[in-house]
Amino acid sequence: MAVRCTGLVKRYEDLVAVAGIDLAVRPGECFGLLGPNGAGKTTTVEILEGLTAPDEGSVDVLGYRWGTGHDHNLRERLGVQLQETQLAEKLTVGETLRLFASFFSRARPVEEVIRTVGLEDKRQARVGKLSGGQKQRLALACALVSDPELLFLDEPTTGLDPQARLNVWEVVEAFVESGGTVLLTTHYMEEAERLCDRVAIMDHGTILSLDRPAALVASLGAEQIVQFELRGDLDPSALATLPGVGSVAGKQGSFRLGVRRMGEMMPALLSELERRGLVLESLTTHQATLEDVFVHLTGRALRDE
Ligand code: ATP
């Protein structure tokens, strides 16, 4: 395994940030920790990166434990992108990468890394003048300059626009394609679905579910999600017996159905509402996603935005 941890626990006074986590990341896979803010993702990766010591549990990275005389060797083989990388604003892109390259005995040529992340036009630009997306690509380049086997990325695209996000995804995909292993954290389910071979859904310091994205979605037992609001109230159990319905959640006139057969369910729903004299305020449907898996597991949305 590229990374293995068992029984990880980290406490900050009364707060349990990581509450007993077991993980194994396979060589060559892109593994994601998906969860909302405060779920414990950053604390977990910081422990795996050897930056924070756990209160309990054990960590193996590329076959070694931190603090057993192999830390230097391990650092040479890892690429780490922290959540908010603070780079010196006055240095240029090229100078920043040459500085990072100097930390490693076997760094990649800086020019090659600049090409990998598509910053050729910005080689001479100062860090302070880069856009958010360009800064993020430079941070990724700094993590790639050591020619790592294993790349840790903490929320690599938070706050980026869709184009900038796509650029980062392409760099990560190329890294995995070339045989690298990635462990990333994200609160974007689109990112987890697109990049990750397997995803661990985290909340309150624990892993709620872990599998391939498609298998997690399939575990819902519903291909479509129907959300609707009613004027007037209805006991959600009245909807569970409608044909084609897999799951029902609802309160205060707002409902969410996991649906297996939309063609059967929809007419039955409409006639049931009519029979009860209830009026639809709104109704939307969408293909089930990892977001729905999270809602199903926690009763909350992954993101508030
Ligand atoms: P985010 O996406 O916001 O970074 P996260 O899932 O990465 O969220 P963590 O940063 O690991 O979550 O935080 C988990 C919990 O631990 C949070 O409640 C956070 O406030 C708390 N925490 C993290 N670092 C510290 C610290 N140094 N001291 C005290 N509490 C901390």
Side-chain angles (χ1 to χ4, degrees), residues 102-180:
S102 72
F103 302 151
F104 300 96
S105 59
R106 186 181 57 95
R108 283 171 68 188
V110 162
E111 266 313 303
E112 187 187 300
V113 184
I114 287 178
R115 268 200 309 280
T116 302
V117 299
L119 283 178
E120 294 95 323
D121 296 348
K122 296 290 167 185
R123 199 179 282 118
Q124 310 293 350
R126 294 193 192 284
V127 171
K129 303 275 183 215
L130 298 178
S131 71
Q134 289 161 347
K135 274 192 188 142
Q136 202 75 354
R137 274 187 280 158
L138 178 57
L140 192 53
C142 291
L144 287 170
V145 82
S146 63
D147 197 13
E149 292 163 51
L150 172 60
L151 191 55
F152 288 102
L153 304 172
D154 195 0
E155 305 213 350
T157 66
T158 293
L160 299 190
D161 63 53
Q163 183 57 47
R165 179 165 299 150
L166 196 60
N167 290 338
V168 169
W169 288 351
E170 285 169 357
V171 175
V172 176
E173 281 168 341
F175 177 77
V176 176
E177 191 83 358
S178 71

Side-chain angles (χ1 to χ4, degrees), residues 12 15-18 35-44 83 154-155 187:
Y12 293 111
L15 186 130
V16 185
V18 177
N37 291 134
K41 307 180 299 293
T42 298
T43 307
T44 303
Q83 192 164 96
D154 195 0
E155 305 213 350
H187 57 254

Side-chain angles (χ1 to χ4, degrees), residues 54-112:
D55 293 316
E56 291 169 35
S58 68
V59 177
D60 259 280
V61 179
L62 302 173
Y64 295 106
R65 294 193 171 192
W66 291 109
T68 59
H70 302 280
D71 291 12
H72 182 72
N73 170 31
L74 263 180
R75 292 255 164 257
E76 291 264 334
R77 298 166 66 194
L78 302 184
V80 170
Q81 183 187 355
L82 301 176
Q83 192 164 96
E84 279 165 30
T85 311
Q86 294 295 336
L87 299 167
E89 303 257 304
K90 294 218 167 77
L91 293 186
T92 67
V93 165
E95 287 164 350
T96 304
L97 282 169
R98 279 193 290 282
L99 174 67
F100 272 76
S102 72
F103 302 151
F104 300 96
S105 59
R106 186 181 57 95
R108 283 171 68 188
V110 162
E111 266 313 303
E112 187 187 300

Side-chain angles (χ1 to χ4, degrees), residues 259 261-268:
V259 177
R261 295 181 305 279
M262 191 69 107
E264 279 177 49
M265 190 288 291
M266 200 55 105

Side-chain angles (χ1 to χ4, degrees), residues 255-273:
F255 299 86
R256 189 179 176 94
L257 306 181
V259 177
R260 280 190 290 264
R261 295 181 305 279
M262 191 69 107
E264 279 177 49
M265 190 288 291
M266 200 55 105
L269 172 65
L270 295 177
S271 61
E272 181 63 19
L273 296 181

